[in-house]
Amino acid sequence: MKRIITFCMLLSAMMMATEVQAQGFLGNLFNALKGGETNTEATTETTSSTPVTETQSTEGNVAGDLLGGLLGTLAGTGSTSANEDGTALSTGGIVSGLLGSVLNAFTTVDQNTLIGTWNFKGSAFVFESEKTLANLGSDVIATQIEDKVDQYLAKFNIKEGVCTLTFNKDNTCTLVAGRRTLNGTYAYNVETKELTLTYAGMFTTTAYLVYDAGVVNILYQSDGLLNILKAISSTSTTGTLSMLKSLLNQYNGLRIGMAFGK
């Protein structure tokens, strides 16, 4: 109910703007939420060499601010921050949005900050491109996918209270999930925000590492996450692994990762 009220309040505020602002924002908003077709006319105006007028700039800011606020509200409760156009969101430190925007929006953490033991907070997700966002329908749909992934991860004991990730100074690392332990090594590139994890005799995977509000988000490609789950799986979780793989295969271009806090 609170989400519906918030949505209505945003629409009411929008209608108080000029008619042009309202029409432009409504088109962009509903197109984003339903993953509609790209507006060719709008794209032509954006890419043309004609200077943007002050009025056009203001309209874009109004639409971006309202869209960012709406997506932030629908993404969940708690402390939420977003960039101006809503393409990078953080709810309690767990990020979502477009991958490129997320990488640019949040703090670059050095390796010394990583040292220590981190506790699992939940799954994090980002879209690799605007096309992926349009195909899935909206950020809200991705949140629903995230909820399903959390349920699957819990079956592997990757859940709050029983799952930790430890980074050591000697570049070794340990993932603990219930009674399962996965030991390996890591390398972190501060400039590119890439984290490479190697588990001897099994696999190597590279993920993006995004840090916000004391939370480390490790954003794997689907295969990276699945390889980790396979390494810690047991006979009882074989079926769950297959179902999760099937789910992720339906959403190519959506990165699902893990968020950890201290």
Side-chain angles (χ1 to χ4, degrees):
M1 179 62 72
K2 290 182 178 179
R3 294 182 178 181
I4 296 175
I5 294 174
T6 303
F7 183 80
C8 294
M9 290 176 65
L10 286 171
L11 287 181
S12 297
M14 179 191 66
M15 294 301 294
M16 294 175 65
T18 64
E19 180 178 357
V20 174
Q21 290 173 329
Q23 291 175 345
F25 175 67
L26 275 174
N28 291 334
L29 172 61
F30 290 118
N31 193 46
L33 291 178
K34 73 176 183 177
E37 298 180 355
T38 303
N39 188 314
T40 304
E41 181 179 354
T43 302
T44 303
E45 292 177 358
T46 302
T47 56
S48 69
S49 59
T50 305
V52 178
T53 65
E54 183 178 351
T55 301
Q56 291 172 322
S57 177
T58 302
E59 292 169 5
N61 290 337
V62 170
D65 290 343
L66 290 176
L67 178 58
L70 175 60
L71 291 179
T73 301
L74 294 178
T77 59
S79 176
T80 303
S81 60
N83 64 3
E84 290 185 356
D85 60 2
T87 57
L89 302 170
S90 172
T91 303
I94 301 178
V95 301
S96 62
L98 294 176
L99 177 60
S101 296
V102 167
L103 292 176
N104 292 327
F106 300 109
T107 306
T108 298
V109 60
D110 60 29
Q111 185 165 331
N112 288 332
T113 304
L114 293 181
I115 304 303
T117 297
W118 300 78
N119 302 300
F120 182 77
K121 289 179 62 68
S123 58
F125 66 95
V126 294
F127 301 100
E128 291 188 347
S129 67
E130 292 184 358
K131 182 178 179 181
T132 305
L133 174 59
N135 289 340
L136 289 179
S138 75
D139 201 35
V140 182
I141 299 300
T143 302
Q144 296 172 357
I145 299 170
E146 181 187 19
D147 290 339
K148 292 181 181 179
V149 171
D150 278 336
Q151 294 175 24
Y152 286 130
L153 292 181
K155 295 182 182 297
F156 294 88
N157 281 316
I158 297 181
K159 57 185 178 180
E160 290 188 73
V162 296
C163 179
T164 62
L165 177 61
T166 300
F167 294 103
N168 301 310
K169 291 182 179 180
D170 62 357
N171 286 91
T172 59
C173 59
T174 303
L175 175 69
V176 175
R179 296 181 179 180
R180 299 277 176 170
T181 299
L182 188 60
N183 295 309
T185 59
Y186 71 96
Y188 176 56
N189 187 320
V190 177
E191 293 183 358
T192 63
K193 297 185 179 180
E194 289 180 306
L195 177 70
T196 302
L197 299 167
T198 301
Y199 298 98
M202 290 182 285
F203 63 92
T204 296
T205 184
T206 299
Y208 285 110
L209 190 150
V210 178
Y211 180 86
D212 185 58
V215 176
V216 167
N217 297 263
I218 302 175
L219 306 170
Y220 305 97
Q221 292 182 329
S222 60
D223 287 346
L225 177 60
L226 291 172
N227 283 335
I228 288 176
L229 297 180
K230 183 177 180 180
I232 63 173
S233 64
S234 61
T235 304
S236 63
T237 55
T238 301
T240 301
L241 185 63
S242 297
M243 288 187 289
L244 178 58
K245 182 177 181 180
S246 177
L247 174 66
L248 296 181
N249 285 341
Q250 296 178 42
Y251 302 104
N252 186 35
L254 179 66
R255 288 198 176 209
I256 299 286
M258 304 178 188
F260 295 86
K262 286 188 174 179

